[in-house]
Amino acid sequence: MITEEINLNMKEKIENIRTKYGCERASHAFPAIYMWRKDMNLTIHISEELFAVKCDMRGSNTWFFPCGGDEEKKKFITEIMKTPKLSFCYTTEKDIAFLNREFPEQFEYIECEGDHEYIYDATEQKELKGRRFSNLRNHINKVRTNYNVSIDEITPCNLDYALEINTAWTEQANSDADLEDDTATEELLNNWEILGAKGIIVNIDDEPYSVVAGYPISKTMFDICLAKQKENIPGLSTYAKHMFISSLSKEYFNINAEEDLNISGLRTMKQQMRPIRLIKMYDSGLK
């Protein structure tokens, strides 16, 4: 199957297909595909009613599960089943039902907890009411009490500050992740307007210290893809995310905070934010 390099001119076509078929996975949003195209060795096959991202980082014939109409997906999968070592990543339970219906007994599935996407209720995250959120409120109050904090919306005029925070994070990070996101973050910040991104910078004593940013996935869901700080100040990450979510328009009912990459600290943090559901992800391959 022929693929091509991913470029910014594909944004409208890919987003139109994704919107038409109701795909709200962060993994399939154009900004994510574009941001990660280098680090994950991504290329794309695209037609009028379908796109499929090939991911060489995960295998020589591994694809994000295709996004498009049922007939187009069936035709695409039938064709690439002729090639060896076929597998799909970012496969949802809805996709599994499709495979079982159209290709019965031909695929097997492995749940990938590190790929699950965390979905939050935006109103809950803004209000943080009740015992369930007492820990988050404590973190936020400590930051407000102990530091002189202020918030700036990210604009083309202060993007350099966000890049500086990303650089500082990269230099001091000790991540357990198999895939670092510093390059992807630079892609987001360097193509800020065309990718439709929004974000804030949190200042401590007027010094830029933390950045949180993302982009709309649909008319009602917003994706948070970036949350970093210069150094590990307790509670600052929680405070920054809360302030950013609170700044979003009321039209966004849900927040997608993406996956935890099997990083224990990141998983704990995402769980403490009390997701309302997970978009569960699986690897699927031919038996």
Side-chain angles (χ1 to χ4, degrees):
M1 185 66 67
I2 297 174
T3 62
E4 54 186 310
E5 292 185 1
I6 298 162
N7 63 70
L8 291 168
N9 294 327
M10 297 175 175
K11 178 187 175 184
E12 183 176 1
K13 190 171 186 178
I14 289 173
E15 289 297 275
N16 285 342
I17 294 171
R18 193 178 60 79
T19 300
K20 179 176 180 178
Y21 293 104
C23 176
E24 291 188 330
R25 273 166 283 189
S27 58
H28 285 56
F30 176 78
I33 294 169
Y34 185 80
M35 287 162 55
W36 287 100
R37 72 193 190 285
K38 294 178 181 177
D39 287 337
M40 295 181 71
N41 295 322
L42 305 180
T43 54
I44 196 166
H45 170 83
I46 185 169
S47 64
E48 292 304 314
E49 294 292 324
L50 175 141
F51 69 87
V53 177
K54 191 170 184 288
C55 181
D56 287 344
M57 189 197 77
R58 292 206 172 187
S60 59
N61 194 19
T62 299
W63 301 73
F64 291 14
F65 196 84
C67 176
D70 283 356
E71 287 303 313
E72 288 77 13
K73 288 190 293 187
K74 182 178 179 180
K75 180 179 178 182
F76 174 81
I77 294 170
T78 299
E79 181 65 25
I80 61 173
M81 282 174 66
K82 302 171 185 177
T83 57
K85 298 182 180 180
L86 171 66
S87 64
F88 297 112
C89 55
Y90 303 119
T91 307
T92 65
E93 292 173 341
K94 183 178 179 180
D95 299 329
I96 290 174
F98 172 84
L99 289 173
N100 287 340
R101 182 178 69 248
E102 300 295 342
F103 304 93
E105 303 297 328
Q106 296 187 62
F107 285 87
E108 55 189 357
Y109 314 101
I110 299 174
E111 183 175 353
C112 297
E113 289 188 77
D115 289 345
H116 295 344
E117 295 180 4
Y118 290 73
I119 309 300
Y120 302 91
D121 181 282
T123 300
E124 283 188 349
Q125 295 300 312
K126 291 176 181 180
E127 296 178 351
L128 297 179
K129 292 181 178 179
R131 284 187 176 183
R132 296 170 62 237
F133 297 106
S134 61
N135 192 39
L136 299 184
R137 292 198 304 272
N138 289 338
H139 284 308
I140 291 167
N141 290 333
K142 284 181 180 178
V143 171
R144 287 173 171 162
T145 300
N146 295 330
Y147 301 97
N148 175 27
V149 291
S150 60
I151 307 295
D152 290 325
E153 179 184 356
I154 296 178
T155 68
C157 296
N158 61 9
L159 276 170
D160 285 347
Y161 293 140
L163 284 163
E164 289 174 9
I165 293 169
N166 180 59
T167 299
W169 169 272
T170 302
E171 291 174 350
Q172 61 91 33
N174 183 19
S175 175
D176 297 324
D178 293 330
L179 184 62
E180 300 295 341
D181 67 348
D182 49 302
T183 301
T185 298
E186 290 176 3
E187 292 284 4
L188 175 72
L189 297 173
N190 289 329
N191 297 280
W192 185 258
E193 291 182 296
I194 195 168
L195 293 180
K198 299 179 181 180
I200 62 168
I201 291 173
V202 178
N203 307 295
I204 295 180
D205 294 330
D206 296 324
E207 179 183 348
Y209 239 85
S210 179
V211 58
V212 181
Y215 44 81
I217 289 183
S218 71
K219 292 181 179 179
T220 60
M221 183 178 287
F222 197 94
D223 177 81
I224 295 180
C225 66
L226 169 59
K228 294 183 177 180
Q229 56 197 48
K230 280 187 176 179
E231 60 184 80
N232 186 22
I233 294 179
L236 182 58
S237 178
T238 300
Y239 175 85
K241 285 194 283 289
H242 172 67
M243 296 304 295
F244 179 56
I245 293 171
S246 297
S247 74
L248 293 175
S249 169
K250 293 181 180 179
E251 67 186 296
Y252 299 116
F253 301 140
N254 292 323
I255 305 297
N256 187 321
E258 301 191 350
E259 69 270 52
D260 61 39
L261 301 171
N262 286 320
I263 302 172
S264 59
L266 189 57
R267 178 168 295 174
T268 298
M269 182 190 69
K270 290 180 185 289
Q271 291 173 344
Q272 287 178 344
M273 288 178 66
R274 308 301 184 190
I276 56 173
R277 65 184 174 95
L278 297 176
I279 300 178
K280 291 188 174 182
M281 299 291 190
Y282 300 79
D283 284 346
S284 50
L286 284 171
K287 289 184 178 180

